[in-house]
Structures are given as structure tokens and as C-alpha cells.
Amino acid sequence: MKVTLPDGKELELADGATGADAAASIGPGLAKAALAVKVDGTTQDLSQPLPDGAVLEIITDRSGEDALELIRHDTAHVLAAAMMELYPGVKISIGPAIENGFYYDFDFPEGAQFTDADFERVEAKMKEHVAADEAFVREVVSVPDALERFRDQGQDYKVELIEDLVKNEGVDTVSLYTNGPFTDLCRGPHAPTTKRIGAFKLQSVAGAYWRGDSDRQMLTRVYGTAFFKQKELDAYLHMLEEARARDHRRLGKDLGLFTFSDLAPGMPLWQPPGMTIWNALTELWRTENRQRGYQEVKTPILWDVELFKASGHWQNYRDNMYFTDIEDRPMALKPMNCPGHVQLFKDVRRSYRELPIRFSEQGLVHRHEPSGTLHGLMRVRHITQDDAHIFCTEEQIEDEVVGCLDFGFDLYRLFGFEPKLELSTRPAKRLGSDETWDQAEQALENALKRQGLDYEINAGDGAFYGPKIDLHMRDSLGRSWQLGTVQLDYQMPEHLDATYIGSDNGLHRPVMIHRALLGSFERFIGILIEHYAGEFPLWLTPSQAIVLTIASRHEDAARTATDALRAAGLRVKLDDRVESVNRKIREAELAKIPYMLIVGDREAETGSVSVRRHRGGNEGTFTVEEFVARIASEIAAERDAEPVLSPQA
């Protein structure tokens, strides 16, 4: 038999050869390092026979997520083995690998409790299984034999899983995996032995309903993670600690940026400092849009449902929408701004000479997110998009898409984000013909290639009305976020009957480009809070400076300096409380205010301020004019612009 390696080379093997045989035939080093194999894209155990003619890839600890998923699944089995030894009578259910780790769900005997205080004891038992280098042995057994085995053990959840496999998939055999004394129902695959688990950590305990059904038994879910090396685990745990310290929900409260109310779930309330950030981003958004030929518009949040039936949202998105009746007329809160922008386009007769027309809107939309998925600013129901829609001819598509991408790159550069691009293609549930989708996908791909941009294909993840380019960023902790999207739509102009007069005096359909670059203001601010750990760039921070008095006799001089700084356009606070200046400095540091300007006898006499930088210490004495010039220069460097300050609200 022959198999083909990723580099195209053919490997000749004996009939019935396994993945382990293939690795050994390449070299002893690979045989030792191999964890599993990918056969025609599907991962399987090293011990399983290979089919003739397969495309084969050997998975080692250098294979990234594929390798980590294997040992995390292994660790879930080791966790279950330890639990069954330490807690006789415990019932086990499922234990998959998940992003960044694994979990296993347990049903403990009546009276038994499990908390994170028990982690150390369980981890010690798990380490025994890892050190024992237990082989993961796969066996295929008949359904009756498997049912008898798990019924005898009192493992009701495994019995139910097998019965469902018979009912839903018609199986007559199932696979079991054994490591040491523990046997589990499992599709696999697994690494050869437990010893391949380099380092692991149990992390948290949560409740989870069996099969996700709130009418079923509440189980105890134990989360953990695993890596090949201790230093990798340590780095990950450090990152988690950093993430907790940067949690935008905590920092948002500490810095007085926003709050939430049980009376408006999923909808943030913005405090004045938070609105300062919001308005700074709005000013940036408005200025950059204007410079690129966008015209700002505003559309209602409440529309007759007939609009969304015509646009396709009713058929494809109504489960995520909110509805009401007004004078017996069914109405809906808009989940998207695009149908309203089409109404604006249709309001007057348009000529081809006007195209492209670029509408922008800081558009408020509402989408129903289940309460269990709400997460601070990252997942909300009240969403303010930095939205835009471009109406153009087919000949203009590539130029407009390139313009959108360049706009996005310019914005992200301000925040130190490097975009990673994905081209998301047609989903199974979609509007329009395959021919139209071919045309739309090709247009987006041409724009990417024209700019020489690297991108990945995300098959099947396009919007129901068209393909899209999604822009992903990594923050200061290396976490990936999707921010921008550029979507190409032939469907909505057709469904909502948008037309323009062509050069032939006939009616033609425009093509519509949907474009958001920040994504939503709420989520983008949440990302920025965590990215900067609340220490925003000077141009964005709510308070750029705070004036601190040393004694009450310095109040007039401090107030004069504060007024002059505000008049010059700085966002500045005054702290003239009767407190020690050291305490005022500590509190300003905790508030993450970039500059502390101290006024004492000498400063009051000379009309100056003593400047102290957040986390930096004393930087000398400046006149108000000198300090304003310094701030202007620093902001200009951040924004890559000419130094300027102007009065701000």
C-alpha cells in the first residue's frame, strides 16, 4: 500500500500498516515523537490501520492545536480515572477537549461535595496516572456488551449515550478506551500513553445540566487545561492572571466608565468618563469617514416588520429580534441598519454619476442575546455599530473594498492592532443563486489579491446575503478578536428594489457593500480597556491630567492652572481636598491618570506646575503653556498627526 505525505512524497508500506508503522518508516525520531496521524484530514490513533492511497500527516507536539487537543482529551480521561478512585460511586458523563483546555462532568454520590479546595488531592492522583505511562488502548465492542458493562458499573449516563447512538446513528458497535484501571466510552483519538501529558492544571468548578436540559440532573463540571511543557502551562496561567487583572468589567467599575442595571439587562449605562472615551472614538470615526467621502445619516430604530420581511431578515434572523405592536401594527427594533440605508438611497432618483454613494451611521441596533451569553461590553443586546453602506456599480466593487480595507488598517494602526484577514464564503442557508455567489466571492478575492494581502478561507461563514472579509486582531495578551467586516451584497438591493439610472438611461441595480470597522462601540471599548489595562493613550483617556494642591493656600493657583489647561483643550481634573499630596498621588495612580500636576509654594509663585508621570515619577517643572505643548506633541505622536489641541467638552 502507499500513502502520500504533506510534501507530496509517496510512502510505501506493508498492507495493514498503522500510523505508528508509517512514522517508524520515516525515522526513529518521528516514531518516538508521533502522537497520532491525520488521514485525509481526520485524526486517528497511531495504532489504527491506514487505508491505501490516503493523504497522511504525522501529528507531534509541534502540530499546534491538533496536538494540544489530543493531550487535553487524554487529560480529561485521566481526571475521570482519578475521580473514580477518589470518589467511589461517582457517575461520569462526558469529557471533551475544548478551546484552551478540557472539562469532565460528574454526578457525585448523595452527600458528596466537590470544590476547588479538592483540586490538589485530585491533581496528585492524576499525576500518578501520568507518571505510570499508561497506554490508551482502544477496543471496539458490540453495543450489548458495552451496555452490559456500563450497567453493571452503574454508569447510567454512559448507558444513555450508547442508547442514543443506536437510536440516532444506528450503530451496532462502539469504541472504548482504557488507560490503567479506567475504561471510557469514547470515539477517540488519543495519544499513545498518559506520559505525553507534560503539565496540567485544574482550574474551576461549575454546574452543568445533563445534555444541556434544565429539566435534567445538574452535574458538576470540572474545567482544566494541559500543555506539553510546564513553562507553556506557566505562561498560560500567567496570561489568565493578566486577563483577570485587565477584566473590563472590573476596570470599568473601578474607573467609573460604565455600569449595568437589572432593569436593562445586556444594555450598559455610560458614566461621564466612559462617555469621554465614547465621544473621542466618535470624533475619530466621524473625521475619518468624512475624509473618505462618507455622508453621515441617521435612521429609526423601530420599523414595520414588512421591511424586514422584504430584506430577508424576517426569514433568517427573526429569532434574534425584538417586536412590539403600535396601534395594531407589528413593528420591530432593527437588528441591522442596512434596510434603512436602502430606504435613504431610494428616497431620490439616483444617477450612475453619483455612485459610489457612501452612507455612514453610528447606528443603534438591538439583538436578542440569551441571558447566559451576556458578558459585560463584549456581548450586549443594545449595540452601537460604526456602520456604513456603499452603493456602487459592479465596476467599482474592487476599488471600494480596497478603500474599506485601507480605512480599517489606518484605524487599527492607532491601537497597535495587526489585522489577520479571513474570506468567509457562502453558508448553507443563503439568498441568491450560486452564480451570484461565485461573482461576489471572486470580487472580494480579487480585492485581497490586488493588495497583496494574506488571508485564509473561512468556508461557509458568510452572511446569508453575501460573502465577507472579516478582520481579526490580537490584543496585548495575544487574544484574538474579530472587529471589522466588509460584506458584499447583491441581494438586498434586489429584495428592496433599489435602482439607479445608468448611462443608457435604463434602470440598474446597485451593488451594496456593508462595512463596519470597529465592530460596535460597546465591544470595541471593552477590548480597548483590556488591551490597555485601563491605561489608555493620552488622546483617548478620560482625564489627561489632574492638578493636585499641596496645601489649602495653593487652591487659587491650582484653580487658575486648571482653568488654563481646560481652555487649551485638555481634559483635566482638580483635586484640592485637604489631604496629603502623597495620598492624592496614590489615588491618581490608581485612577490611571497619565499626568499629575502638583502646585505648591514655588509653583504658585511662578505660575507653573510640577509634573509627575503615571508610573514614571517626577519629570520637572513646566509653565502651563509648556505643558500644553508637551501634551499636544504626545497626542500628535500617538495619532501620527500635526500637534494641535482645541477646547473639548
mmCIF file of all heavy atoms in Angstrom, residues 34 36 42 110 146 162 217 224 226 233 237 279 293 330 332 427 430 467 476 523 543 548 577 603-604:
data_model
loop_
_atom_site.group_PDB
_atom_site.id
_atom_site.type_symbol
_atom_site.label_atom_id
_atom_site.label_comp_id
_atom_site.label_asym_id
_atom_site.label_seq_id
_atom_site.Cartn_x
_atom_site.Cartn_y
_atom_site.Cartn_z
ATOM 1 N N ALA A 34 5.739 10.853 17.541
ATOM 2 C CA ALA A 34 4.385 10.803 16.993
ATOM 3 C C ALA A 34 3.339 10.650 18.095
ATOM 4 O O ALA A 34 3.505 9.880 19.038
ATOM 5 C CB ALA A 34 4.275 9.658 15.996
ATOM 6 N N ALA A 36 -0.321 10.975 16.962
ATOM 7 C CA ALA A 36 -1.470 10.470 16.217
ATOM 8 C C ALA A 36 -1.194 10.779 14.748
ATOM 9 O O ALA A 36 -0.133 11.299 14.397
ATOM 10 C CB ALA A 36 -2.763 11.123 16.690
ATOM 11 N N THR A 42 -8.635 13.647 8.770
ATOM 12 C CA THR A 42 -9.289 13.189 10.001
ATOM 13 C C THR A 42 -8.251 12.557 10.925
ATOM 14 O O THR A 42 -7.493 11.677 10.510
ATOM 15 C CB THR A 42 -10.388 12.164 9.686
ATOM 16 O OG1 THR A 42 -11.361 12.770 8.838
ATOM 17 C CG2 THR A 42 -11.066 11.693 10.969
ATOM 18 N N GLU A 110 -24.833 11.103 46.658
ATOM 19 C CA GLU A 110 -25.569 11.996 47.556
ATOM 20 C C GLU A 110 -24.731 12.288 48.805
ATOM 21 O O GLU A 110 -24.163 11.382 49.416
ATOM 22 C CB GLU A 110 -26.895 11.348 47.956
ATOM 23 C CG GLU A 110 -27.788 12.277 48.771
ATOM 24 C CD GLU A 110 -29.155 11.671 49.034
ATOM 25 O OE1 GLU A 110 -29.444 10.590 48.451
ATOM 26 O OE2 GLU A 110 -29.918 12.263 49.812
ATOM 27 N N ALA A 146 -21.249 -3.452 25.527
ATOM 28 C CA ALA A 146 -20.968 -2.153 26.136
ATOM 29 C C ALA A 146 -22.066 -1.773 27.126
ATOM 30 O O ALA A 146 -21.782 -1.286 28.237
ATOM 31 C CB ALA A 146 -20.841 -1.089 25.050
ATOM 32 N N ILE A 162 -24.956 5.505 24.820
ATOM 33 C CA ILE A 162 -24.925 4.378 23.876
ATOM 34 C C ILE A 162 -26.299 4.170 23.255
ATOM 35 O O ILE A 162 -26.426 3.964 22.031
ATOM 36 C CB ILE A 162 -24.438 3.100 24.580
ATOM 37 C CG1 ILE A 162 -22.991 3.269 25.041
ATOM 38 C CG2 ILE A 162 -24.557 1.893 23.647
ATOM 39 C CD1 ILE A 162 -22.511 2.167 25.970
ATOM 40 N N GLN A 217 -30.691 16.283 35.340
ATOM 41 C CA GLN A 217 -29.814 16.341 36.504
ATOM 42 C C GLN A 217 -28.743 17.429 36.369
ATOM 43 O O GLN A 217 -28.140 17.592 35.312
ATOM 44 C CB GLN A 217 -29.129 14.975 36.675
ATOM 45 C CG GLN A 217 -28.139 14.885 37.802
ATOM 46 C CD GLN A 217 -28.792 14.915 39.172
ATOM 47 O OE1 GLN A 217 -29.954 14.562 39.303
ATOM 48 N NE2 GLN A 217 -28.055 15.343 40.174
ATOM 49 N N GLY A 224 -10.228 22.199 33.246
ATOM 50 C CA GLY A 224 -8.785 22.210 33.395
ATOM 51 C C GLY A 224 -8.117 22.505 32.074
ATOM 52 O O GLY A 224 -8.773 22.696 31.050
ATOM 53 N N ALA A 226 -4.153 21.641 29.783
ATOM 54 C CA ALA A 226 -2.938 20.817 29.729
ATOM 55 C C ALA A 226 -2.047 21.306 28.599
ATOM 56 O O ALA A 226 -2.525 21.811 27.582
ATOM 57 C CB ALA A 226 -3.297 19.349 29.521
ATOM 58 N N LEU A 233 2.493 25.845 30.312
ATOM 59 C CA LEU A 233 1.384 25.964 31.259
ATOM 60 C C LEU A 233 1.551 27.207 32.116
ATOM 61 O O LEU A 233 0.593 27.967 32.328
ATOM 62 C CB LEU A 233 1.309 24.719 32.137
ATOM 63 C CG LEU A 233 0.292 24.755 33.284
ATOM 64 C CD1 LEU A 233 -1.123 24.931 32.765
ATOM 65 C CD2 LEU A 233 0.396 23.492 34.138
ATOM 66 N N LEU A 237 -1.100 30.272 32.437
ATOM 67 C CA LEU A 237 -1.708 30.671 33.706
ATOM 68 C C LEU A 237 -1.390 32.136 34.024
ATOM 69 O O LEU A 237 -2.226 32.858 34.570
ATOM 70 C CB LEU A 237 -1.224 29.756 34.830
ATOM 71 C CG LEU A 237 -1.645 28.276 34.711
ATOM 72 C CD1 LEU A 237 -1.034 27.467 35.838
ATOM 73 C CD2 LEU A 237 -3.167 28.144 34.704
ATOM 74 N N ASN A 279 -16.985 59.444 23.081
ATOM 75 C CA ASN A 279 -17.004 60.626 22.217
ATOM 76 C C ASN A 279 -15.688 60.807 21.464
ATOM 77 O O ASN A 279 -15.679 61.284 20.325
ATOM 78 C CB ASN A 279 -17.324 61.875 23.033
ATOM 79 C CG ASN A 279 -18.770 61.904 23.495
ATOM 80 O OD1 ASN A 279 -19.642 61.295 22.862
ATOM 81 N ND2 ASN A 279 -19.044 62.593 24.591
ATOM 82 N N GLY A 293 -15.071 60.417 2.118
ATOM 83 C CA GLY A 293 -16.232 60.597 1.257
ATOM 84 C C GLY A 293 -17.519 59.977 1.746
ATOM 85 O O GLY A 293 -18.462 59.798 0.964
ATOM 86 N N PRO A 330 -47.677 45.521 13.534
ATOM 87 C CA PRO A 330 -46.468 44.828 14.009
ATOM 88 C C PRO A 330 -45.214 45.622 13.640
ATOM 89 O O PRO A 330 -45.004 45.964 12.476
ATOM 90 C CB PRO A 330 -46.510 43.488 13.271
ATOM 91 C CG PRO A 330 -47.914 43.333 12.787
ATOM 92 C CD PRO A 330 -48.415 44.713 12.541
ATOM 93 N N ALA A 332 -40.800 46.191 14.603
ATOM 94 C CA ALA A 332 -39.600 45.511 15.094
ATOM 95 C C ALA A 332 -38.490 46.514 15.340
ATOM 96 O O ALA A 332 -38.332 47.484 14.574
ATOM 97 C CB ALA A 332 -39.123 44.475 14.077
ATOM 98 N N PRO A 427 -22.764 30.394 3.125
ATOM 99 C CA PRO A 427 -23.301 29.438 4.106
ATOM 100 C C PRO A 427 -24.343 28.537 3.451
ATOM 101 O O PRO A 427 -24.803 28.801 2.330
ATOM 102 C CB PRO A 427 -23.937 30.358 5.150
ATOM 103 C CG PRO A 427 -24.400 31.539 4.353
ATOM 104 C CD PRO A 427 -23.391 31.727 3.250
ATOM 105 N N ARG A 430 -28.835 30.560 2.615
ATOM 106 C CA ARG A 430 -28.450 31.820 1.972
ATOM 107 C C ARG A 430 -29.498 32.234 0.950
ATOM 108 O O ARG A 430 -30.346 31.440 0.531
ATOM 109 C CB ARG A 430 -27.102 31.658 1.285
ATOM 110 C CG ARG A 430 -27.056 30.573 0.225
ATOM 111 C CD ARG A 430 -25.656 30.409 -0.354
ATOM 112 N NE ARG A 430 -25.586 29.422 -1.417
ATOM 113 C CZ ARG A 430 -25.309 28.147 -1.232
ATOM 114 N NH1 ARG A 430 -25.075 27.701 0.000
ATOM 115 N NH2 ARG A 430 -25.262 27.304 -2.244
ATOM 116 N N PRO A 467 -20.932 37.064 0.734
ATOM 117 C CA PRO A 467 -19.638 36.739 1.349
ATOM 118 C C PRO A 467 -19.052 37.963 2.032
ATOM 119 O O PRO A 467 -19.522 39.093 1.824
ATOM 120 C CB PRO A 467 -18.787 36.320 0.153
ATOM 121 C CG PRO A 467 -19.352 37.101 -0.996
ATOM 122 C CD PRO A 467 -20.836 37.178 -0.734
ATOM 123 N N SER A 476 -2.964 42.839 23.508
ATOM 124 C CA SER A 476 -1.664 42.779 24.184
ATOM 125 C C SER A 476 -1.433 41.458 24.903
ATOM 126 O O SER A 476 -0.300 41.140 25.266
ATOM 127 C CB SER A 476 -1.551 43.934 25.190
ATOM 128 O OG SER A 476 -2.602 43.873 26.137
ATOM 129 N N ARG A 523 -18.391 46.923 22.293
ATOM 130 C CA ARG A 523 -17.414 45.833 22.339
ATOM 131 C C ARG A 523 -16.001 46.352 22.113
ATOM 132 O O ARG A 523 -15.050 45.888 22.762
ATOM 133 C CB ARG A 523 -17.778 44.786 21.283
ATOM 134 C CG ARG A 523 -16.922 43.531 21.314
ATOM 135 C CD ARG A 523 -17.596 42.455 20.470
ATOM 136 N NE ARG A 523 -16.784 41.261 20.398
ATOM 137 C CZ ARG A 523 -15.897 41.003 19.447
ATOM 138 N NH1 ARG A 523 -15.699 41.895 18.494
ATOM 139 N NH2 ARG A 523 -15.216 39.885 19.449
ATOM 140 N N SER A 543 -9.365 61.382 31.644
ATOM 141 C CA SER A 543 -8.691 62.525 32.273
ATOM 142 C C SER A 543 -7.223 62.474 31.893
ATOM 143 O O SER A 543 -6.518 61.525 32.230
ATOM 144 C CB SER A 543 -8.833 62.476 33.800
ATOM 145 O OG SER A 543 -10.179 62.617 34.180
ATOM 146 N N LEU A 548 -2.980 68.779 41.556
ATOM 147 C CA LEU A 548 -3.013 68.432 42.977
ATOM 148 C C LEU A 548 -2.432 69.580 43.799
ATOM 149 O O LEU A 548 -1.332 70.063 43.509
ATOM 150 C CB LEU A 548 -2.187 67.167 43.233
ATOM 151 C CG LEU A 548 -2.461 65.958 42.332
ATOM 152 C CD1 LEU A 548 -1.480 64.836 42.661
ATOM 153 C CD2 LEU A 548 -3.889 65.485 42.485
ATOM 154 N N ARG A 577 -8.631 68.743 47.723
ATOM 155 C CA ARG A 577 -9.081 68.274 49.032
ATOM 156 C C ARG A 577 -7.994 68.517 50.084
ATOM 157 O O ARG A 577 -6.799 68.602 49.768
ATOM 158 C CB ARG A 577 -9.390 66.778 48.983
ATOM 159 C CG ARG A 577 -10.549 66.386 48.077
ATOM 160 C CD ARG A 577 -10.651 64.872 47.993
ATOM 161 N NE ARG A 577 -9.419 64.293 47.445
ATOM 162 C CZ ARG A 577 -9.040 63.030 47.619
ATOM 163 N NH1 ARG A 577 -9.765 62.214 48.383
ATOM 164 N NH2 ARG A 577 -7.922 62.583 47.074
ATOM 165 N N GLU A 603 5.442 76.734 42.789
ATOM 166 C CA GLU A 603 4.625 76.730 41.580
ATOM 167 C C GLU A 603 3.587 77.853 41.618
ATOM 168 O O GLU A 603 3.327 78.504 40.606
ATOM 169 C CB GLU A 603 3.931 75.374 41.411
ATOM 170 C CG GLU A 603 4.863 74.219 41.089
ATOM 171 C CD GLU A 603 5.580 73.668 42.306
ATOM 172 O OE1 GLU A 603 5.137 73.992 43.444
ATOM 173 O OE2 GLU A 603 6.572 72.943 42.147
ATOM 174 N N ALA A 604 3.003 78.092 42.798
ATOM 175 C CA ALA A 604 2.014 79.172 42.916
ATOM 176 C C ALA A 604 2.656 80.527 42.640
ATOM 177 O O ALA A 604 2.054 81.409 42.026
ATOM 178 C CB ALA A 604 1.390 79.150 44.310
#
